[in-house]
Coordinates of all heavy atoms in Angstrom, one line a residue:
M1 N -99.1 -113.4 -138.1 CA -99.5 -112.2 -137.4 C -98.6 -112.0 -136.3 O -98.3 -112.9 -135.5 CB -101.0 -112.4 -136.9 CG -101.5 -111.2 -136.1 SD -103.3 -111.4 -135.8 CE -103.2 -112.0 -134.2
N2 N -98.1 -110.8 -136.2 CA -97.1 -110.4 -135.1 C -97.9 -109.8 -133.9 O -98.5 -108.7 -134.1 CB -96.1 -109.4 -135.6 CG -95.1 -109.1 -134.6 OD1 -95.0 -109.7 -133.6 ND2 -94.3 -108.1 -134.9
I3 N -98.0 -110.5 -132.8 CA -98.7 -110.0 -131.6 C -97.7 -109.4 -130.7 O -96.8 -110.1 -130.3 CB -99.5 -111.1 -131.0 CG1 -100.6 -111.7 -132.0 CG2 -100.2 -110.7 -129.7 CD1 -101.3 -112.9 -131.4
P4 N -97.9 -108.2 -130.2 CA -96.9 -107.6 -129.3 C -97.0 -108.4 -127.9 O -98.0 -108.9 -127.5 CB -97.4 -106.2 -129.1 CG -98.9 -106.2 -129.6 CD -98.9 -107.3 -130.5
A5 N -95.8 -108.4 -127.3 CA -95.7 -109.2 -126.0 C -96.1 -108.4 -124.8 O -96.1 -108.9 -123.7 CB -94.3 -109.7 -125.9
S6 N -96.5 -107.1 -125.0 CA -96.9 -106.3 -123.9 C -97.9 -105.3 -124.4 O -98.1 -105.1 -125.6 CB -95.8 -105.6 -123.2 OG -95.3 -104.6 -124.0
L7 N -98.6 -104.7 -123.5 CA -99.6 -103.7 -123.9 C -99.3 -102.5 -122.9 O -98.8 -102.6 -121.8 CB -101.0 -104.1 -123.8 CG -101.5 -104.7 -122.5 CD1 -102.2 -103.7 -121.7 CD2 -102.5 -105.9 -122.8
V8 N -99.7 -101.4 -123.4 CA -99.5 -100.2 -122.6 C -100.9 -99.6 -122.3 O -101.7 -99.5 -123.2 CB -98.7 -99.1 -123.4 CG1 -98.6 -97.8 -122.6 CG2 -97.3 -99.6 -123.7
T9 N -101.1 -99.4 -121.0 CA -102.4 -98.8 -120.6 C -102.2 -97.4 -120.2 O -101.4 -97.2 -119.2 CB -103.0 -99.6 -119.5 OG1 -103.2 -101.0 -120.0 CG2 -104.4 -99.1 -119.1
A10 N -102.8 -96.5 -120.8 CA -102.7 -95.1 -120.4 C -104.0 -94.7 -119.8 O -105.1 -94.9 -120.3 CB -102.4 -94.2 -121.6
L11 N -103.9 -94.1 -118.6 CA -105.1 -93.6 -118.0 C -105.0 -92.1 -117.7 O -103.9 -91.6 -117.5 CB -105.3 -94.2 -116.6 CG -105.6 -95.7 -116.5 CD1 -105.6 -96.2 -115.1 CD2 -106.9 -96.0 -117.3
I12 N -106.1 -91.4 -117.9 CA -106.1 -90.0 -117.6 C -106.6 -89.9 -116.1 O -107.7 -90.4 -115.8 CB -107.0 -89.2 -118.5 CG1 -106.6 -89.4 -120.0 CG2 -107.1 -87.7 -118.1 CD1 -105.2 -88.9 -120.3
V13 N -105.8 -89.4 -115.3 CA -106.1 -89.4 -113.9 C -106.1 -87.9 -113.4 O -105.4 -87.1 -113.9 CB -105.1 -90.2 -113.0 CG1 -105.2 -91.6 -113.3 CG2 -103.7 -89.7 -113.2
S14 N -107.0 -87.6 -112.5 CA -107.1 -86.3 -112.0 C -106.2 -86.1 -110.8 O -106.3 -87.0 -109.9 CB -108.6 -85.9 -111.6 OG -109.4 -86.0 -112.7
L15 N -105.4 -85.2 -110.8 CA -104.5 -84.9 -109.7 C -105.2 -84.0 -108.7 O -106.2 -83.4 -109.0 CB -103.2 -84.3 -110.1 CG -102.4 -85.1 -111.2 CD1 -101.2 -84.3 -111.6 CD2 -102.0 -86.4 -110.6
A16 N -104.7 -84.0 -107.5 CA -105.3 -83.2 -106.4 C -105.4 -81.7 -106.8 O -106.4 -81.0 -106.4 CB -104.5 -83.3 -105.1
A17 N -104.5 -81.3 -107.6 CA -104.5 -79.8 -108.0 C -105.5 -79.6 -109.1 O -105.7 -78.4 -109.5 CB -103.1 -79.5 -108.5
G18 N -106.1 -80.6 -109.6 CA -107.2 -80.4 -110.6 C -106.7 -80.6 -112.0 O -107.5 -80.6 -113.0
A19 N -105.3 -80.7 -112.2 CA -104.8 -80.9 -113.6 C -104.9 -82.4 -114.0 O -104.9 -83.2 -113.1 CB -103.4 -80.4 -113.6
A20 N -105.0 -82.6 -115.2 CA -105.1 -84.0 -115.7 C -103.7 -84.4 -116.2 O -102.9 -83.6 -116.7 CB -106.0 -84.1 -116.9
S21 N -103.3 -85.6 -116.0 CA -102.0 -86.1 -116.3 C -102.2 -87.5 -116.9 O -102.9 -88.4 -116.4 CB -101.1 -86.2 -115.1 OG -99.9 -86.9 -115.4
A22 N -101.5 -87.8 -118.0 CA -101.6 -89.1 -118.6 C -100.4 -89.9 -118.0 O -99.3 -89.5 -117.9 CB -101.4 -89.0 -120.1
R23 N -100.8 -91.1 -117.5 CA -99.8 -92.0 -116.9 C -99.8 -93.3 -117.7 O -100.9 -93.7 -118.2 CB -100.1 -92.2 -115.5 CG -100.0 -90.9 -114.7 CD -100.4 -91.0 -113.3 NE -99.6 -91.9 -112.6 CZ -99.8 -92.3 -111.3 NH1 -100.9 -91.9 -110.7 NH2 -99.0 -93.2 -110.7
E24 N -98.7 -94.0 -117.7 CA -98.6 -95.2 -118.5 C -98.1 -96.3 -117.7 O -97.3 -96.2 -116.8 CB -97.5 -94.9 -119.6 CG -98.0 -95.3 -121.0 CD -96.9 -95.0 -122.0 OE1 -95.8 -95.4 -121.9 OE2 -97.3 -94.2 -122.8
A25 N -98.5 -97.5 -118.0 CA -98.0 -98.8 -117.3 C -97.9 -99.9 -118.4 O -98.8 -99.9 -119.2 CB -98.9 -99.2 -116.2
R26 N -96.9 -100.7 -118.3 CA -96.8 -101.8 -119.2 C -97.1 -103.1 -118.4 O -96.7 -103.3 -117.3 CB -95.3 -102.0 -119.7 CG -95.0 -100.9 -120.7 CD -93.7 -101.3 -121.4 NE -93.4 -100.2 -122.3 CZ -93.8 -100.1 -123.6 NH1 -94.6 -101.0 -124.0 NH2 -93.5 -99.1 -124.3
V27 N -97.9 -103.9 -119.1 CA -98.3 -105.2 -118.5 C -97.8 -106.3 -119.5 O -98.4 -106.4 -120.6 CB -99.8 -105.3 -118.3 CG1 -100.2 -106.7 -117.8 CG2 -100.3 -104.2 -117.4
Q28 N -96.8 -107.1 -119.1 CA -96.3 -108.1 -120.0 C -97.3 -109.3 -120.0 O -97.8 -109.7 -119.0 CB -95.0 -108.6 -119.5 CG -93.9 -107.6 -119.4 CD -93.5 -107.1 -120.8 OE1 -93.5 -107.9 -121.8 NE2 -93.1 -105.8 -120.9
W29 N -97.6 -109.8 -121.2 CA -98.5 -111.0 -121.3 C -98.0 -112.0 -122.3 O -98.6 -113.1 -122.4 CB -99.9 -110.5 -121.6 CG -100.1 -109.8 -122.9 CD1 -99.9 -108.5 -123.1 CD2 -100.3 -110.4 -124.2 NE1 -100.1 -108.2 -124.5 CE2 -100.3 -109.4 -125.1 CE3 -100.5 -111.7 -124.6 CZ2 -100.5 -109.6 -126.5 CZ3 -100.6 -111.9 -126.0 CH2 -100.7 -110.9 -126.9
G30 N -97.0 -111.7 -123.1 CA -96.5 -112.6 -124.1 C -96.1 -113.9 -123.7 O -96.1 -114.9 -124.4
D31 N -95.6 -114.0 -122.4 CA -95.2 -115.3 -121.9 C -96.3 -116.1 -121.3 O -96.1 -117.2 -120.7 CB -94.1 -115.1 -120.8 CG -94.6 -114.2 -119.6 OD1 -95.5 -113.4 -119.8 OD2 -94.2 -114.5 -118.5
L32 N -97.5 -115.6 -121.3 CA -98.7 -116.3 -120.7 C -99.6 -116.9 -121.7 O -99.8 -116.4 -122.8 CB -99.5 -115.3 -119.9 CG -98.8 -114.6 -118.8 CD1 -99.7 -113.5 -118.1 CD2 -98.3 -115.5 -117.7
D33 N -100.2 -118.1 -121.4 CA -101.2 -118.7 -122.2 C -102.6 -118.2 -121.7 O -103.1 -118.8 -120.7 CB -101.1 -120.2 -122.1 CG -102.2 -120.9 -122.9 OD1 -103.0 -120.2 -123.6 OD2 -102.3 -122.2 -122.8
L34 N -103.1 -117.2 -122.2 CA -104.4 -116.6 -121.7 C -105.6 -117.4 -122.0 O -106.7 -117.1 -121.6 CB -104.6 -115.2 -122.3 CG -103.5 -114.2 -121.8 CD1 -103.9 -112.7 -122.3 CD2 -103.3 -114.2 -120.3
S35 N -105.4 -118.5 -122.7 CA -106.5 -119.5 -122.9 C -106.7 -120.5 -121.8 O -107.6 -121.2 -121.7 CB -106.4 -120.2 -124.3 OG -105.3 -121.1 -124.2
S36 N -105.7 -120.5 -120.9 CA -105.7 -121.3 -119.7 C -106.1 -120.5 -118.5 O -105.9 -119.3 -118.4 CB -104.4 -122.0 -119.4 OG -103.5 -121.0 -119.0
A37 N -106.8 -121.2 -117.5 CA -107.2 -120.5 -116.3 C -105.9 -120.0 -115.5 O -106.0 -118.8 -115.0 CB -107.9 -121.5 -115.4
A38 N -104.8 -120.7 -115.5 CA -103.6 -120.2 -114.8 C -103.0 -119.0 -115.5 O -102.6 -118.1 -114.8 CB -102.6 -121.4 -114.8
G39 N -103.0 -119.0 -116.8 CA -102.5 -117.9 -117.6 C -103.3 -116.7 -117.4 O -102.8 -115.6 -117.2
A40 N -104.6 -116.8 -117.4 CA -105.5 -115.7 -117.2 C -105.4 -115.1 -115.8 O -105.4 -113.9 -115.6 CB -106.9 -116.1 -117.5
A41 N -105.2 -116.0 -114.8 CA -105.0 -115.6 -113.4 C -103.7 -114.8 -113.2 O -103.7 -113.8 -112.5 CB -105.1 -116.8 -112.5
A42 N -102.7 -115.3 -113.9 CA -101.4 -114.6 -113.9 C -101.5 -113.2 -114.5 O -101.0 -112.2 -114.0 CB -100.3 -115.4 -114.5
F43 N -102.2 -113.1 -115.6 CA -102.5 -111.8 -116.3 C -103.3 -110.9 -115.3 O -102.9 -109.7 -115.1 CB -103.2 -112.0 -117.6 CG -103.6 -110.7 -118.2 CD1 -102.6 -110.0 -118.9 CD2 -104.9 -110.3 -118.3 CE1 -103.0 -108.8 -119.6 CE2 -105.2 -109.1 -118.9 CZ -104.3 -108.4 -119.6
D44 N -104.3 -111.4 -114.7 CA -105.1 -110.6 -113.7 C -104.2 -110.1 -112.6 O -104.4 -109.0 -112.2 CB -106.2 -111.5 -113.2 CG -107.3 -111.8 -114.2 OD1 -107.4 -111.1 -115.2 OD2 -108.1 -112.7 -113.9
A45 N -103.3 -110.9 -112.1 CA -102.4 -110.5 -111.0 C -101.5 -109.4 -111.5 O -101.3 -108.4 -110.7 CB -101.6 -111.7 -110.5
R46 N -101.0 -109.5 -112.7 CA -100.1 -108.4 -113.2 C -100.9 -107.1 -113.5 O -100.4 -106.1 -113.1 CB -99.5 -108.9 -114.6 CG -98.5 -110.0 -114.4 CD -97.9 -110.5 -115.7 NE -97.1 -111.7 -115.5 CZ -96.5 -112.3 -116.5 NH1 -96.6 -111.8 -117.8 NH2 -95.7 -113.3 -116.3
V47 N -102.1 -107.2 -114.0 CA -102.9 -106.1 -114.2 C -103.3 -105.4 -112.8 O -103.2 -104.2 -112.7 CB -104.2 -106.4 -114.9 CG1 -105.2 -105.3 -114.9 CG2 -103.8 -106.8 -116.4
A48 N -103.6 -106.3 -111.8 CA -103.9 -105.7 -110.5 C -102.8 -105.0 -109.9 O -102.9 -103.9 -109.3 CB -104.4 -106.8 -109.6
A49 N -101.6 -105.6 -110.0 CA -100.3 -104.9 -109.4 C -100.1 -103.6 -110.1 O -99.8 -102.6 -109.5 CB -99.2 -105.8 -109.6
A50 N -100.2 -103.5 -111.4 CA -100.0 -102.3 -112.2 C -101.1 -101.3 -111.8 O -100.8 -100.1 -111.6 CB -100.0 -102.5 -113.7
A51 N -102.3 -101.7 -111.7 CA -103.4 -100.8 -111.3 C -103.2 -100.2 -109.9 O -103.5 -99.1 -109.7 CB -104.8 -101.6 -111.4
N52 N -102.7 -101.1 -109.0 CA -102.5 -100.5 -107.7 C -101.4 -99.4 -107.6 O -101.6 -98.4 -107.0 CB -102.1 -101.7 -106.7 CG -103.2 -102.5 -106.3 OD1 -104.4 -102.0 -106.3 ND2 -102.9 -103.8 -105.9
R53 N -100.4 -99.6 -108.5 CA -99.3 -98.6 -108.6 C -99.9 -97.3 -109.3 O -99.6 -96.2 -108.8 CB -98.1 -99.1 -109.4 CG -97.3 -100.1 -108.7 CD -96.0 -100.4 -109.5 NE -96.2 -100.9 -110.8 CZ -96.5 -102.1 -111.2 NH1 -96.5 -103.1 -110.3 NH2 -96.6 -102.4 -112.4
M54 N -100.7 -97.5 -110.3 CA -101.2 -96.4 -111.1 C -102.3 -95.6 -110.4 O -102.5 -94.4 -110.6 CB -101.8 -96.8 -112.4 CG -100.7 -97.4 -113.4 SD -99.6 -96.1 -114.0 CE -100.8 -95.2 -115.0
C55 N -103.0 -96.2 -109.5 CA -104.2 -95.7 -108.9 C -104.1 -95.1 -107.5 O -105.0 -94.8 -106.9 CB -105.3 -96.7 -108.9 SG -105.9 -97.2 -110.6
R56 N -102.9 -94.9 -107.1 CA -102.6 -94.3 -105.8 C -103.1 -92.9 -105.8 O -102.6 -92.1 -106.6 CB -101.1 -94.4 -105.4 CG -100.7 -95.7 -105.0 CD -99.2 -95.7 -104.5 NE -98.8 -97.0 -104.3 CZ -97.7 -97.5 -105.0 NH1 -97.0 -96.8 -105.8 NH2 -97.4 -98.8 -104.8
G57 N -103.9 -92.5 -104.9 CA -104.4 -91.1 -104.7 C -105.3 -90.6 -105.9 O -105.4 -89.4 -106.0
V58 N -105.8 -91.5 -106.7 CA -106.6 -91.0 -107.9 C -108.0 -90.7 -107.4 O -108.6 -91.3 -106.6 CB -106.6 -92.2 -108.9 CG1 -107.7 -91.9 -110.0 CG2 -105.3 -92.4 -109.5
K59 N -108.5 -89.6 -108.0 CA -109.8 -89.1 -107.7 C -110.7 -89.5 -108.9 O -110.3 -89.5 -110.0 CB -109.8 -87.6 -107.6 CG -108.7 -87.1 -106.7 CD -109.2 -86.8 -105.3 CE -108.2 -86.1 -104.4 NZ -107.4 -87.0 -103.6
R60 N -112.0 -89.7 -108.6 CA -113.0 -90.0 -109.6 C -113.1 -88.7 -110.4 O -113.1 -87.6 -109.9 CB -114.3 -90.4 -109.0 CG -115.4 -90.8 -110.1 CD -116.7 -91.1 -109.4 NE -116.6 -92.4 -108.8 CZ -117.2 -93.5 -109.3 NH1 -118.0 -93.4 -110.4 NH2 -117.2 -94.6 -108.7
P61 N -113.3 -88.8 -111.8 CA -113.4 -87.6 -112.6 C -114.5 -86.7 -112.0 O -115.6 -87.1 -111.6 CB -113.8 -88.2 -113.9 CG -113.3 -89.5 -114.0 CD -113.4 -90.0 -112.6
A62 N -114.2 -85.4 -112.0 CA -115.1 -84.3 -111.5 C -115.5 -84.5 -110.0 O -116.6 -84.2 -109.6 CB -116.4 -84.3 -112.3
S63 N -114.6 -85.1 -109.2 CA -114.8 -85.3 -107.8 C -113.5 -85.0 -107.0 O -112.4 -85.1 -107.6 CB -115.3 -86.7 -107.6 OG -115.4 -86.9 -106.2
R64 N -113.7 -84.7 -105.7 CA -112.5 -84.6 -104.9 C -112.3 -85.9 -104.0 O -111.4 -85.9 -103.2 CB -112.6 -83.4 -104.0 CG -112.5 -82.1 -104.7 CD -112.3 -81.0 -103.8 NE -113.3 -80.0 -104.0 CZ -113.4 -78.9 -103.3 NH1 -112.7 -78.8 -102.2 NH2 -114.3 -78.1 -103.5
I65 N -113.1 -86.9 -104.3 CA -113.1 -88.1 -103.4 C -112.2 -89.1 -104.1 O -112.2 -89.4 -105.3 CB -114.5 -88.7 -103.4 CG1 -115.5 -87.7 -102.6 CG2 -114.5 -90.0 -102.6 CD1 -116.9 -88.1 -102.7
N66 N -111.3 -89.7 -103.2 CA -110.4 -90.8 -103.7 C -111.3 -92.0 -104.1 O -112.3 -92.3 -103.4 CB -109.5 -91.2 -102.6 CG -108.3 -90.3 -102.4 OD1 -108.0 -89.5 -103.3 ND2 -107.6 -90.5 -101.3
D67 N -110.9 -92.6 -105.2 CA -111.7 -93.7 -105.6 C -110.8 -94.7 -106.4 O -110.8 -94.8 -107.5 CB -112.9 -93.3 -106.5 CG -113.9 -94.3 -106.7 OD1 -113.7 -95.5 -106.3 OD2 -115.0 -94.1 -107.2
R68 N -110.0 -95.5 -105.5 CA -109.1 -96.4 -106.1 C -109.9 -97.6 -106.8 O -109.4 -98.1 -107.8 CB -108.2 -97.0 -105.0 CG -107.1 -96.0 -104.7 CD -106.2 -96.6 -103.7 NE -105.2 -97.5 -104.5 CZ -104.2 -98.1 -103.9 NH1 -104.0 -98.1 -102.6 NH2 -103.4 -98.8 -104.6
A69 N -111.0 -98.0 -106.3 CA -111.8 -99.1 -106.9 C -112.2 -98.7 -108.3 O -112.1 -99.5 -109.2 CB -113.0 -99.4 -106.0
F70 N -112.7 -97.5 -108.5 CA -113.1 -97.0 -109.8 C -111.9 -97.0 -110.7 O -112.0 -97.5 -111.9 CB -113.7 -95.6 -109.7 CG -113.9 -94.9 -111.0 CD1 -115.1 -95.2 -111.7 CD2 -113.0 -94.0 -111.5 CE1 -115.3 -94.6 -112.9 CE2 -113.3 -93.4 -112.7 CZ -114.4 -93.7 -113.4
C71 N -110.8 -96.5 -110.3 CA -109.6 -96.5 -111.1 C -109.1 -97.9 -111.5 O -108.8 -98.2 -112.6 CB -108.5 -95.7 -110.4 SG -106.9 -95.6 -111.3
R72 N -109.0 -98.8 -110.5 CA -108.6 -100.2 -110.8 C -109.5 -100.9 -111.8 O -109.0 -101.5 -112.7 CB -108.4 -100.9 -109.5 CG -107.2 -100.5 -108.6 CD -107.0 -101.4 -107.5 NE -108.2 -101.6 -106.6 CZ -108.2 -101.1 -105.4 NH1 -107.3 -100.4 -104.8 NH2 -109.3 -101.3 -104.7
A73 N -110.8 -100.7 -111.6 CA -111.7 -101.3 -112.6 C -111.5 -100.7 -114.0 O -111.5 -101.5 -115.0 CB -113.2 -101.1 -112.1
A74 N -111.4 -99.4 -114.1 CA -111.2 -98.8 -115.4 C -109.8 -99.3 -116.0 O -109.7 -99.5 -117.2 CB -111.2 -97.3 -115.2
F75 N -108.8 -99.4 -115.2 CA -107.5 -99.9 -115.6 C -107.6 -101.3 -116.2 O -107.1 -101.6 -117.2 CB -106.5 -99.8 -114.5 CG -105.1 -100.1 -114.9 CD1 -104.2 -99.1 -115.2 CD2 -104.6 -101.4 -114.9 CE1 -102.9 -99.4 -115.6 CE2 -103.3 -101.7 -115.3 CZ -102.5 -100.7 -115.6
R76 N -108.3 -102.1 -115.4 CA -108.4 -103.6 -115.8 C -109.2 -103.6 -117.2 O -108.8 -104.4 -118.1 CB -109.2 -104.4 -114.8 CG -109.3 -105.8 -115.2 CD -110.4 -106.5 -114.3 NE -110.7 -107.8 -114.9 CZ -111.4 -108.0 -116.0 NH1 -112.0 -107.0 -116.6 NH2 -111.7 -109.2 -116.4
D77 N -110.3 -102.9 -117.3 CA -111.1 -102.9 -118.5 C -110.3 -102.4 -119.7 O -110.3 -103.0 -120.8 CB -112.3 -102.0 -118.3 CG -113.4 -102.6 -117.3 OD1 -113.2 -103.7 -116.9 OD2 -114.3 -101.8 -117.0
E78 N -109.5 -101.4 -119.5 CA -108.6 -100.9 -120.6 C -107.5 -101.9 -121.0 O -107.2 -102.1 -122.1 CB -108.0 -99.5 -120.2 CG -107.2 -98.9 -121.3 CD -107.9 -98.5 -122.6 OE1 -109.2 -98.5 -122.6 OE2 -107.3 -98.3 -123.6
A79 N -106.9 -102.5 -120.0 CA -105.9 -103.5 -120.2 C -106.4 -104.7 -121.1 O -105.8 -105.1 -122.1 CB -105.3 -104.1 -118.9
V80 N -107.6 -105.2 -120.7 CA -108.3 -106.3 -121.5 C -108.6 -105.7 -122.9 O -108.4 -106.4 -123.9 CB -109.5 -106.9 -120.8 CG1 -110.2 -107.8 -121.6 CG2 -109.0 -107.5 -119.5
R81 N -109.1 -104.5 -123.0 CA -109.5 -104.0 -124.3 C -108.4 -103.9 -125.2 O -108.5 -104.0 -126.5 CB -110.2 -102.6 -124.1 CG -110.8 -102.0 -125.4 CD -111.1 -100.6 -125.3 NE -110.0 -99.7 -125.1 CZ -109.1 -99.4 -126.1 NH1 -109.3 -99.9 -127.3 NH2 -108.1 -98.6 -125.9
Q82 N -107.2 -103.6 -124.7 CA -106.0 -103.5 -125.5 C -105.4 -104.8 -126.0 O -104.5 -104.8 -126.8 CB -104.9 -102.6 -124.9 CG -105.4 -101.2 -124.8 CD -104.2 -100.3 -124.4 OE1 -103.1 -100.6 -124.5 NE2 -104.6 -99.1 -123.7
L83 N -105.8 -105.9 -125.5 CA -105.3 -107.2 -126.0 C -105.9 -107.4 -127.4 O -106.9 -107.0 -127.7 CB -105.9 -108.3 -125.1 CG -105.3 -108.5 -123.7 CD1 -106.1 -109.5 -122.9 CD2 -103.9 -108.8 -123.7
P84 N -105.1 -108.1 -128.2 CA -105.6 -108.4 -129.6 C -106.9 -109.2 -129.5 O -107.1 -110.0 -128.6 CB -104.5 -109.2 -130.2 CG -103.2 -108.9 -129.4 CD -103.7 -108.5 -128.0
G85 N -107.7 -109.1 -130.5 CA -109.1 -109.6 -130.5 C -109.1 -111.1 -130.2 O -109.9 -111.6 -129.3
A86 N -108.3 -111.9 -130.8 CA -108.3 -113.4 -130.6 C -107.8 -113.7 -129.1 O -108.3 -114.6 -128.5 CB -107.4 -114.1 -131.6
V87 N -106.9 -112.9 -128.6 CA -106.4 -113.1 -127.3 C -107.5 -112.7 -126.3 O -107.7 -113.4 -125.2 CB -105.1 -112.3 -127.0 CG1 -104.6 -112.5 -125.6 CG2 -104.0 -112.8 -128.0
Q88 N -108.3 -111.7 -126.6 CA -109.4 -111.3 -125.7 C -110.4 -112.4 -125.6 O -110.9 -112.7 -124.5 CB -110.1 -110.0 -126.3 CG -109.4 -108.8 -126.0 CD -110.2 -107.6 -126.6 OE1 -111.5 -107.7 -126.6 NE2 -109.6 -106.5 -127.0
V89 N -110.6 -113.1 -126.7 CA -111.6 -114.2 -126.7 C -111.1 -115.3 -125.9 O -111.8 -115.9 -125.1 CB -111.9 -114.7 -128.2 CG1 -112.7 -115.9 -128.2 CG2 -112.6 -113.6 -128.9
D90 N -109.8 -115.7 -126.1 CA -109.2 -116.8 -125.3 C -109.3 -116.4 -123.8 O -109.6 -117.3 -123.0 CB -107.7 -117.0 -125.7 CG -107.6 -117.6 -127.0 OD1 -108.6 -118.2 -127.6 OD2 -106.4 -117.6 -127.6
Y91 N -109.0 -115.2 -123.5 CA -109.0 -114.7 -122.1 C -110.4 -114.9 -121.5 O -110.5 -115.4 -120.4 CB -108.4 -113.3 -122.0 CG -108.6 -112.7 -120.6 CD1 -107.7 -113.0 -119.6 CD2 -109.6 -111.8 -120.4 CE1 -107.9 -112.5 -118.3 CE2 -109.8 -111.2 -119.1 CZ -108.9 -111.6 -118.1 OH -109.1 -111.0 -116.8
A92 N -111.4 -114.4 -122.2 CA -112.7 -114.4 -121.7 C -113.2 -115.8 -121.6 O -113.9 -116.1 -120.5 CB -113.6 -113.7 -122.7
L93 N -112.9 -116.7 -122.5 CA -113.3 -118.1 -122.4 C -112.7 -118.8 -121.2 O -113.3 -119.6 -120.5 CB -113.0 -118.9 -123.7 CG -113.9 -118.5 -124.9 CD1 -113.4 -119.1 -126.1 CD2 -115.4 -118.7 -124.6
S94 N -111.4 -118.4 -120.9 CA -110.7 -119.1 -119.8 C -111.3 -118.6 -118.4 O -111.1 -119.3 -117.4 CB -109.2 -118.7 -119.8 OG -109.0 -117.4 -119.5
R95 N -112.0 -117.5 -118.4 CA -112.6 -116.9 -117.2 C -113.9 -117.5 -116.9 O -114.5 -117.3 -115.8 CB -112.7 -115.4 -117.3 CG -111.4 -114.7 -117.6 CD -110.2 -115.1 -116.8 NE -110.3 -114.7 -115.4 CZ -109.6 -115.4 -114.4 NH1 -108.8 -116.4 -114.7 NH2 -109.7 -115.1 -113.1
L96 N -114.5 -118.3 -117.8 CA -115.8 -118.8 -117.6 C -115.8 -120.0 -116.7 O -114.8 -120.8 -116.7 CB -116.4 -119.4 -119.0 CG -116.8 -118.3 -120.0 CD1 -117.2 -119.0 -121.3 CD2 -117.9 -117.4 -119.5
P97 N -116.8 -120.2 -115.8 CA -116.8 -121.3 -114.9 C -116.9 -122.6 -115.7 O -117.6 -122.7 -116.7 CB -118.0 -121.1 -114.0 CG -118.9 -120.2 -114.7 CD -118.0 -119.4 -115.7
V98 N -116.2 -123.6 -115.1 CA -116.3 -125.0 -115.8 C -117.4 -125.8 -115.1 O -117.5 -125.9 -113.9 CB -114.9 -125.7 -115.5 CG1 -115.0 -127.1 -116.1 CG2 -113.8 -125.0 -116.1
S99 N -118.3 -126.3 -116.0 CA -119.4 -127.1 -115.5 C -119.2 -128.5 -116.1 O -118.9 -128.7 -117.2 CB -120.7 -126.5 -115.8 OG -120.9 -126.4 -117.2
L100 N -119.5 -129.5 -115.3 CA -119.4 -130.9 -115.7 C -120.7 -131.5 -115.9 O -121.7 -131.2 -115.3 CB -118.5 -131.7 -114.7 CG -117.1 -131.1 -114.5 CD1 -116.4 -131.9 -113.4 CD2 -116.3 -131.2 -115.8

């Protein structure tokens, strides 16, 4: 199975003028082991950095209020959704707390 080494997250963001614009960001993950806590944390940091760049001045849909937190959460959810299924499972399992 050929798994792409990056994913593209496209968000529809409302601009101040009211027009919608599709923006794209690439998040590299092929060099990370998303089944490990360290790999998942590195992926989270990359997604957060891309989300911060993409979500500057973004407004919540149908609102004039800036809502970076809403945008960053939506960006993160979409980035995880675009991972291949088995990688999503590995990532989710690595995020679970360890109990002894």
Side-chain angles (χ1 to χ4, degrees):
M1 180 169 98
N2 185 10
I3 299 175
S6 69
L7 55 95
V8 178
T9 301
L11 295 178
I12 303 298
V13 295
S14 297
L15 300 176
S21 172
R23 297 174 61 189
E24 227 177 62
R26 287 193 183 274
V27 177
Q28 299 292 329
W29 61 271
D31 60 326
L32 301 174
D33 177 6
L34 296 186
S35 66
S36 73
F43 176 75
D44 289 342
R46 291 176 187 183
V47 169
N52 283 335
R53 287 189 305 274
M54 292 291 290
C55 294
R56 287 188 189 120
V58 169
K59 313 263 188 264
R60 185 181 284 252
S63 174
R64 289 194 234 175
I65 299 171
N66 282 345
D67 197 345
R68 284 185 81 177
F70 171 80
C71 178
R72 286 190 304 250
F75 187 94
R76 182 196 168 284
D77 292 348
E78 182 63 15
V80 172
R81 188 192 68 74
Q82 287 191 27
L83 290 170
V87 178
Q88 283 184 30
V89 171
D90 288 343
Y91 172 77
L93 291 173
S94 71
R95 305 313 292 155
L96 293 175
V98 176
S99 61
L100 301 173

